[in-house]
Amino acid sequence: MSYSRPSPGLSAVALTALGVVYGDIGTSPLYAFREAFDARHGLPLTPANVFAVLSMIFWSVTLIVSLKYVTIMLRFDHRGEGGVLALLSYCAQHLRERPRLLSMVTLLGAFAVSLFYGDAVITPAISVLSAVEGIAVAAPSLEALVLPAAVGIIIGLFLFQRRGAGAVGALFGPIMVLWFLAMAGVGLASIAENPGVLQALDPRYALKLILEQPGMAFVAAGAVFLCVTGAEALYADMGHFGRRPVQLAWFALVLPSLTLNYFGQGALVLREPAAARNPFFLLAPETLLMPLVALATMAAVIASQATISGAFSATQQASRLNFLPRLRVLHTSEQTQGQIYIPAVNWLLLVLVVALVLGFRSSGALASAYGIAVSGDLLLASVMLLLVLPFVKGLRPLWPLFLLFATIELAFFAANATKFVHGGWFPLVLAVAVFTVLTTWRRGLGIMQARKEAGPKATLDGLALDLSDVPRVPGSAVFFSSSAGGCPSSFLHNLKHNKVVHEQTVFVTVQFEDVPRVLDDERIQVMRGANGIVRIIAQFGYRESPDVGLVLRLAARKGVVCPIDETSFFTSKPTLVSVSRRGVFGWRRSLFGWMLQNSTSVATYLHLPPNRVVELGTQVAI
């Protein structure tokens, strides 16, 4: 067996990963170090404090990003996939026999996903604003153009989503390589003028500030945390690239470049304290300032694109795991299944991002709102693993390490929570709203299923029904059911009103497993009844789109032939009917009913031929 070829392939994938995985954390130097010495935070710009902040930045990146995420968390994959929902699926596998603990972990996972949407809104706003603000550094007379330019770039970015990122995606990697090399270059040049700044690699500078001035250290932590925003993307995007390319890109290029740039900024403000107003852009020579602004803007757009794509992916996964209703999902690439576009999410994000930019008006103001969502997300991931690790053989020794991570992240969260009134309220309010939607839908589905199972027809076995006296009509009919047993309500309605059964009658149930993808050989189960009815149970992973055409092709191999253009597809459209008092939380029932009525129809969701669909209405009492 030869191992001579994987290396070039690994490098190529690592290059592509740069444009997706590291866009967010790669733009943090635009504002993270600057925010630590912002006048609003009260941290004096002294050599001792500069060394302490640089030490805090380096060791925060080392512990949270390099150790926790790049080295350890990438091993907590679920069949090769990462992200909070994949972590939730991983935890569920080990907590099946502990339902109370599983319920707690599920709620934590749902809230972590909710916090991610706060990140998805703030990242485009702060990244683009901080990049475009370089214009005011290069040409102060053009400062009035910063806000309009940022809004214009953001609107263009969201309008472009419908076409997909595939057309320019190939450029993302090379642009980010250039970005990281540029950051490293200007940082290294600054360090060369003051190499003593490298002493800040010593963790004792950070510990001295923490022990001697805990109040100042606490304030600094809120800004220092901005250097690890984007760490969760390493885990979330693992499924697209795999563990090794993500790790290679981090240790070979991203980490060295970030370190050199942060220390270069520190060296600059030690020489010129006035440069603290925007040390990133002031690192560059005047002749290179505008090219650096242009490169920073491209990097910010790439970081925003990665976050927006992540929001689409998280929404699709949440829908697959029954946290959200069916949504209209468009695939923007014929080659890459993961490139999707969800119109409802796109336009909602656009409105929120533009509102943030116009409301906060500067990256410095937005920085106060940024850290609280990400720190909460990282903390919840650690807490989830603290709850599940005691039940995972061989991984229990990691428990103390995750306790350390959780302690550090709790301190960061507390530091960011102090900025609640200065903008930190926004991602928390947004997270609570999203969490309410997720849990309302999941709870509503649970109630609907329970009532259906308790109904008088719940015990009917469709494969055992006596249909000997029912006339048969030519053709094939497919009836969709949410459960793998009983009879589809659309079949019962058709039988009641039309009093006929098709010669080829098939019940299809589409199930989403808590795995990313399912192999075709394991995708369908076929059961045949004595009455001629066939039941097909089709399984898809939560990263897959249901494909009825594929299901029917696989079924044909097992003798169930239903040509998609000659088959009638029967679906049901439920309508919520109130049968109890509204109570204190009656508004949740109204919310669930609204989502139920506005969810994408089964026909659209499963991409059925429009001229072959028959939709029958049903009423659901809650």
Side-chain angles (χ1 to χ4, degrees):
M1 181 178 292
S2 173
Y3 291 94
S4 59
R5 292 186 178 182
S7 186
L10 178 63
S11 300
V13 176
L15 174 64
T16 306
L18 280 172
V20 177
V21 177
Y22 294 111
D24 193 350
I25 199 170
T27 53
S28 294
L30 287 167
Y31 46 82
F33 183 82
R34 181 193 68 196
E35 286 303 305
F37 295 102
D38 189 279
R40 294 170 298 175
H41 301 151
L43 186 65
L45 182 59
T46 65
N49 287 341
V50 170
F51 275 66
V53 167
L54 288 175
S55 184
M56 291 175 70
I57 287 176
F58 176 78
W59 288 103
S60 296
V61 171
T62 298
L63 291 173
I64 301 299
V65 185
S66 297
L67 182 58
K68 178 187 173 182
Y69 276 93
V70 178
T71 304
I72 299 176
M73 285 295 289
L74 292 187
R75 300 179 182 277
F76 287 96
D77 65 290
H78 192 63
R79 297 197 179 184
E81 298 290 339
V84 173
L85 289 173
L87 179 61
L88 178 57
S89 298
Y90 175 90
C91 293
Q93 281 189 319
H94 298 280
L95 297 176
R96 293 189 186 279
E97 299 178 0
R98 298 170 177 83
R100 290 186 179 180
L101 193 56
L102 177 58
S103 297
M104 182 187 301
V105 170
T106 300
L107 289 176
L108 291 175
F111 197 72
V113 173
S114 304
L115 284 170
F116 170 77
Y117 284 96
D119 184 21
V121 171
I122 298 176
T123 293
I126 192 172
S127 297
V128 173
L129 257 179
S130 58
V132 178
E133 282 169 351
I135 296 174
V137 177
S141 61
L142 299 178
E143 185 174 1
L145 296 178
V146 169
L147 205 61
V151 171
I153 291 171
I154 289 169
I155 291 176
L157 175 64
F158 280 95
L159 290 176
F160 183 77
Q161 295 304 310
R162 177 63 182 84
R163 300 183 60 185
V168 295
L171 298 175
F172 285 180
I175 289 174
M176 292 307 293
V177 169
L178 184 59
W179 168 248
F180 284 116
L181 291 177
M183 285 200 299
V186 295
L188 186 60
S190 179
I191 293 172
E193 295 186 42
N194 187 4
V197 74
L198 294 176
Q199 296 177 68
L201 292 170
D202 189 337
R204 287 178 294 183
Y205 286 97
L207 291 174
K208 183 178 179 181
L209 180 64
I210 294 171
L211 295 175
E212 296 182 0
Q213 301 183 68
M216 286 296 181
F218 188 73
V219 170
V224 166
F225 180 77
L226 297 174
C227 71
V228 301
T229 54
E232 71 281 9
L234 305 174
Y235 184 43
D237 291 314
M238 178 178 63
H240 296 298
F241 306 102
R243 182 193 311 164
R244 292 182 62 201
V246 171
Q247 292 174 330
L248 175 63
W250 173 256
F251 287 111
L253 179 61
V254 180
L255 177 60
S257 299
L258 292 176
T259 303
L260 288 171
N261 192 267
Y262 281 124
F263 278 74
Q265 291 186 49
L268 173 64
V269 298
L270 286 173
R271 296 192 307 272
E272 304 173 26
R277 61 189 178 92
N278 203 322
F280 178 86
F281 285 110
L282 291 174
L283 278 176
E286 188 174 346
T287 55
L288 297 179
L289 190 51
M290 286 308 293
L292 185 62
V293 171
L295 186 58
T297 302
M298 287 189 285
V301 169
I302 291 171
S304 303
Q305 175 63 56
T307 306
I308 295 167
S309 298
F312 292 157
S313 179
T315 302
Q316 185 185 45
Q317 292 179 46
S319 178
R320 301 289 189 263
L321 295 175
N322 290 329
F323 281 108
L324 285 173
R326 293 184 299 268
L327 294 169
R328 183 169 174 244
V329 177
L330 304 177
H331 290 264
T332 59
S333 172
E334 295 294 333
Q335 292 78 30
T336 307
Q337 188 174 10
Q339 291 186 14
I340 60 174
Y341 168 71
I342 303 179
V345 176
N346 187 68
W347 303 126
L348 181 59
L349 287 178
L350 171 60
V351 171
L352 291 174
V353 172
V354 171
L356 272 182
V357 171
L358 295 179
F360 286 85
R361 306 184 71 82
S362 73
S363 62
L366 270 171
S368 296
Y370 197 19
I372 196 167
V374 183
S375 59
D377 203 1
L378 303 189
L379 175 61
L380 288 175
S382 293
V383 172
M384 290 168 68
L385 282 170
L386 284 175
L387 292 174
V388 76
L389 283 176
F391 307 104
V392 183
K393 293 181 179 180
L395 295 180
R396 291 168 188 166
L398 289 176
W399 197 90
L401 193 55
F402 274 92
L403 182 60
L404 172 64
F405 295 147
T407 302
I408 296 172
E409 289 158 356
L410 180 60
F412 278 132
F413 181 79
N416 282 286
T418 62
K419 299 183 287 186
F420 180 84
V421 296
H422 300 292
W425 58 268
F426 174 80
L428 288 182
V429 169
L430 180 60
V432 169
V434 174
F435 180 76
T436 301
V437 170
L438 298 181
T439 53
T440 296
W441 181 257
R442 193 174 179 89
R443 175 61 177 158
L445 284 185
I447 293 174
M448 283 179 56
Q449 187 63 32
R451 290 191 178 276
K452 182 177 180 180
E453 292 174 355
K457 297 179 180 179
T459 57
L460 285 177
D461 182 0
L463 303 188
L465 284 176
D466 183 5
L467 302 175
S468 57
D469 296 331
V470 181
R472 297 273 179 168
V473 295
S476 299
V478 171
F479 297 85
F480 293 93
S481 173
S482 59
S483 62
C487 289
S489 57
S490 54
F491 173 78
L492 294 175
H493 279 286
N494 183 63
L495 185 62
K496 176 181 178 180
H497 295 288
N498 296 324
K499 298 179 174 55
V500 296
V501 175
H502 288 74
E503 286 181 343
Q504 175 80 289
T505 299
V506 181
F507 297 166
V508 173
T509 298
V510 174
Q511 296 179 336
F512 286 97
E513 303 298 317
D514 60 352
V515 297
R517 294 178 178 83
V518 176
L519 298 175
D520 282 349
D521 292 342
E522 303 172 0
R523 192 171 300 282
I524 70 168
Q525 301 175 47
V526 177
M527 293 166 278
R528 292 176 170 82
N531 54 10
I533 293 179
V534 177
R535 185 188 304 280
I536 297 176
I537 300 175
Q539 298 174 324
F540 290 88
Y542 58 76
R543 277 192 179 271
E544 295 182 295
S545 293
D547 185 346
V548 172
L550 172 61
V551 171
L552 295 182
R553 288 194 297 273
L554 294 175
R557 299 177 186 176
K558 299 187 177 184
V560 183
V561 181
C562 296
I564 193 168
D565 294 328
E566 301 174 11
T567 300
S568 297
F569 298 93
F570 289 79
T571 67
S572 60
K573 178 72 173 179
T575 302
L576 199 65
V577 179
S578 175
V579 294
S580 60
R581 293 181 299 175
R582 292 186 60 83
V584 177
F585 296 104
W587 58 270
R588 292 190 70 192
R589 181 171 54 200
S590 300
L591 174 60
F592 178 74
W594 179 84
M595 288 192 290
L596 188 67
Q597 289 303 113
N598 289 277
S599 62
T600 301
S601 68
V602 174
T604 302
Y605 187 67
L606 299 178
H607 305 287
L608 302 177
N611 60 340
R612 305 298 306 176
V613 176
V614 179
E615 187 174 88
L616 302 173
T618 60
Q619 290 187 333
V620 179
I622 294 183

